[in-house]
Amino acid sequence: MSLSLIIFGITSNLAQKYLLPALYDLEEKGLLPENTSIIGVARSPKEEGWIQEHLDLTLSKENLHHKHTIQDPVKQALLKRLHYLNGHLDDPEFYQRLHKKLTDLNSKNLIFYLATYPELYQAIFQNLKDSKLHKSKTGFVRLMIEKPFGQDLNSAKALNKLLHQFFEENQIYRLDHYLGKETLRGILEFRFKTSSNLQPLIDSRHIDHIQVTAIENFGIGERGAFYDRVGALKDVGQNHLLQMLTAATMDKPAKFTNEEVTSERIKILKKLTPLKDSVVFGQYQGYLSEKNVNPSSKTETFFALKTFINNDRFKDIPIYIRAGKKLAQTLTEVVIVFKQGEPKLLRFKIQPEEQLLMSQDPYEALILDAIRGDQTFFNDAEEVEIQWAFIDPLASKKGQPIIYQPGTDGPKEADLLIRRDGRSWAGTQTSDFSKT
Ligand code: BG6
């Protein structure tokens, strides 16, 4: 296969933290198709040899997601594939040079990875079309688009509409890296592919409630400019946490195809009830002095909410979802708490275990899926819109967030949200589950 992966935004945080390390790992494992080129695109003109320095620097940085030693032969092999093109993504002249480069490389199949600002999308799509790079007669053209996909339902709809003016749905890979996680895919394996005796217990007759948690013991770091515009609910609630919930609650798909799996996820998302009076927003003390944060910002770094899945299987079963930064610990999990008897609960750990056991990083998995043309673990147009339809009413309740101390379990109002129902958060300092 002759393939070019074109990364728009090779100097982005995303490319440095996730994409280049994932490509290194794919190279190391010999999983990239033989004739694969990678073209990194950034704005400013650079000296020849710059891309080598960029790769060196990127791989040498401390990286939570990529911890093993860098081997020179692997790096050299990756470097051979790596090209650099500078240019402005809204400048037609750049696309002429890109076209020429792709012709020189004789690439029949193209994947464009948009690690860049959403404001540029329209210009990118239009220019790809004008330079006839938006489809191919002899191979495929695919787009990988990062979250956040829009900022609310209306903007997500507008973006889907825009995309469909230029591309077919089967060319569009909307990414939520949680769908690439082995531990999340493992939930589906456990529920549907092994003969688990717990799977039949996942319904309202046996379950007391469900908790979805993604808490982190670190803050926003260098990402203030991005984070301050988004906040926790949209940064991780609209996507990662909803996907953890669907994995744990969706029905078994008739077949493990993209259409069937996506359709089961969508069925759950459609039945989620936003409860505007059961949501708490918090902000860690000290957030306002973070770099590139508005000093009077009301952006939340924590949220907790209660919801229900309004279908037969989960009728009247409360679902508690929470996420936040600068908390006492880092923990990502779905916990299904049973009504009585043994086991008391079923715990699907996404993290921290993942870092120990993980053999494939989510970005590796998703890049490979896109190369193979498998959209099962990507969001389709309808799915992202339904996620926003659930989030929008809750986001409308944001006001002044409750300030919480770093290193704690978050605002006590979040504790009350669940305590008033006679329950407690699993895995926190005051948890009733600490003994289990
Ligand atoms: C990203 C969010 O999508 O996911 C971050 O923007 C968050 O704020 C991160 O920290 C969590 O991902 P992971 O894979 O580290 O759990």
Side-chain angles (χ1 to χ4, degrees):
M1 178 193 289
S2 62
L3 170 75
S4 275
L5 172 66
I6 302 106
I7 302 175
F8 288 155
I10 194 68
T11 52
S12 63
N13 178 58
L14 176 83
Q16 296 187 51
K17 230 168 131 183
Y18 298 102
L19 301 183
L20 286 171
L23 288 165
Y24 173 91
D25 286 340
L26 289 171
E27 181 73 63
E28 186 174 45
K29 293 175 188 163
L31 293 175
L32 290 172
E34 204 179 324
N35 273 321
T36 303
S37 308
I38 300 158
I39 303 180
V41 179
R43 249 176 318 196
S44 44
K46 314 267 191 220
E47 307 280 312
E48 210 168 302
W50 170 83
I51 195 76
Q52 171 158 5
E53 275 167 42
H54 184 60
L55 184 69
D56 277 344
L57 197 71
T58 301
L59 294 178
S60 66
K61 271 190 201 152
E62 198 184 329
N63 188 332
L64 198 74
H65 299 267
H66 187 270
K67 278 196 159 156
H68 59 97
T69 38
I70 302 298
Q71 300 184 41
D72 202 52
V74 179
K75 196 172 75 186
Q76 294 308 329
L78 184 60
L79 260 178
K80 273 204 190 126
R81 304 179 186 280
L82 201 53
H83 305 259
Y84 175 66
L85 265 190
N86 77 284
H88 288 251
L89 294 174
D90 50 3
D91 177 7
E93 186 271 339
F94 160 72
Y95 293 84
Q96 286 171 20
R97 283 188 288 122
L98 178 61
H99 197 291
K100 177 164 185 318
K101 181 91 193 166
L102 293 170
T103 311
D104 292 348
L105 290 167
N106 195 22
S107 286
K108 302 261 185 293
N109 302 292
L110 309 178
I111 299 180
F112 294 102
Y113 200 116
L114 305 189
T116 186
Y117 303 101
E119 295 76 33
L120 287 167
Y121 287 173
Q122 175 145 19
I124 294 173
F125 304 156
Q126 186 65 54
N127 278 296
L128 287 178
K129 182 171 183 189
D130 293 346
S131 50
K132 301 204 167 41
L133 287 170
H134 69 308
K135 51 172 113 154
S136 156
K137 288 203 182 77
T138 50
F140 60 72
V141 175
R142 297 180 182 141
L143 280 186
M144 296 181 78
I145 305 185
E146 270 293 328
K147 67 161 257 287
F149 193 87
Q151 314 92 52
D152 54 18
L153 178 57
N154 281 339
S155 54
K157 277 187 176 164
L159 184 49
N160 278 331
K161 202 169 157 206
L162 177 72
L163 275 162
H164 290 149
Q165 284 166 23
F166 298 94
F167 304 95
E168 304 292 328
E169 183 63 26
N170 68 8
Q171 295 180 278
I172 307 167
Y173 290 67
R174 298 176 193 77
L175 236 116
D176 172 340
H177 80 277
Y178 267 53
L179 285 173
K181 282 187 189 272
E182 272 185 334
T183 41
L184 189 134
R185 294 183 183 189
I187 300 179
L188 302 184
E189 296 276 331
F190 174 84
R191 294 188 54 214
F192 303 136
K193 295 195 177 165
T194 59
S195 49
S196 155
N197 52 2
L198 293 178
Q199 168 56 17
L201 303 182
I202 304 184
D203 65 22
S204 63
R205 281 188 303 139
H206 301 94
I207 293 177
D208 178 73
H209 73 283
I210 299 176
Q211 299 187 18
V212 184
T213 296
I215 50 182
E216 297 169 327
N217 64 3
F218 48 88
I220 57 159
E222 297 288 304
R223 298 167 71 225
F226 160 77
Y227 197 88
D228 204 36
R229 284 189 290 138
V230 179
L233 184 66
K234 299 184 178 187
D235 181 40
V236 296
Q238 183 266 350
N239 36 72
H240 306 335
L241 281 103
L242 291 184
Q243 289 302 340
M244 286 161 65
L245 179 62
T246 55
T249 55
M250 67 189 242
D251 274 355
K252 185 173 183 172
K255 280 190 243 135
F256 275 85
T257 58
N258 172 35
E259 289 72 19
E260 299 289 341
V261 174
T262 306
S263 135
E264 291 304 337
R265 289 201 303 258
I266 288 179
K267 280 188 206 159
I268 291 288
L269 294 166
K270 275 192 173 157
K271 294 288 178 188
L272 280 182
T273 327
L275 300 175
K276 293 204 303 189
D277 293 328
S278 297
V279 56
V280 173
F281 295 105
Q283 185 188 76
Y284 62 79
Q285 178 79 49
Y287 173 76
L288 296 181
S289 7
E290 296 279 23
K291 201 168 138 194
N292 294 327
V293 163
N294 176 344
S296 54
S297 172
K298 292 183 179 170
T299 297
E300 82 286 2
T301 59
F302 175 99
F303 72 86
L305 63 90
K306 176 179 168 180
T307 183
F308 290 94
I309 300 172
N310 203 0
N311 67 8
D312 287 347
R313 186 198 275 260
F314 294 103
K315 202 168 160 14
D316 299 331
I317 299 299
I319 301 185
Y320 303 93
I321 302 182
R322 92 199 137 121
K325 298 204 181 277
K326 278 237 172 147
L327 296 165
Q329 57 177 328
T330 298
L331 175 71
T332 313
E333 64 178 12
V334 182
V335 181
I336 297 181
V337 182
F338 293 109
K339 279 187 175 147
Q340 55 200 359
E342 291 298 327
K344 214 166 170 181
L345 43 86
L346 171 59
R347 193 167 229 145
F348 293 118
K349 271 242 158 102
I350 306 287
Q351 255 149 213
E353 261 71 351
E354 188 191 50
Q355 271 139 28
L356 301 176
L357 304 174
M358 185 174 67
S359 61
Q360 192 166 52
D361 158 274
Y363 279 89
E364 280 179 56
L366 292 169
I367 291 170
L368 281 183
D369 284 352
I371 293 175
R372 294 186 193 121
D374 183 351
Q375 289 182 299
T376 310
F377 292 104
F378 293 86
N379 297 139
D380 75 2
E382 186 186 7
E383 187 172 15
V384 283
E385 290 179 15
I386 294 167
Q387 290 175 332
W388 282 118
F390 172 70
I391 293 296
D392 276 5
L394 301 169
S396 74
K397 293 293 287 186
K398 287 191 202 183
Q400 189 66 49
I402 302 157
I403 304 298
Y404 60 92
Q405 293 307 311
T408 63
D409 290 333
K412 65 174 186 323
E413 285 75 358
D415 210 26
L416 288 177
L417 177 83
I418 189 164
R419 289 252 169 219
R420 70 178 183 218
D421 294 346
R423 305 183 172 102
S424 71
W425 294 110
T428 53
Q429 291 154 2
T430 52
S431 170
D432 295 343
F433 300 105
S434 45
K435 294 165 270 352
T436 56

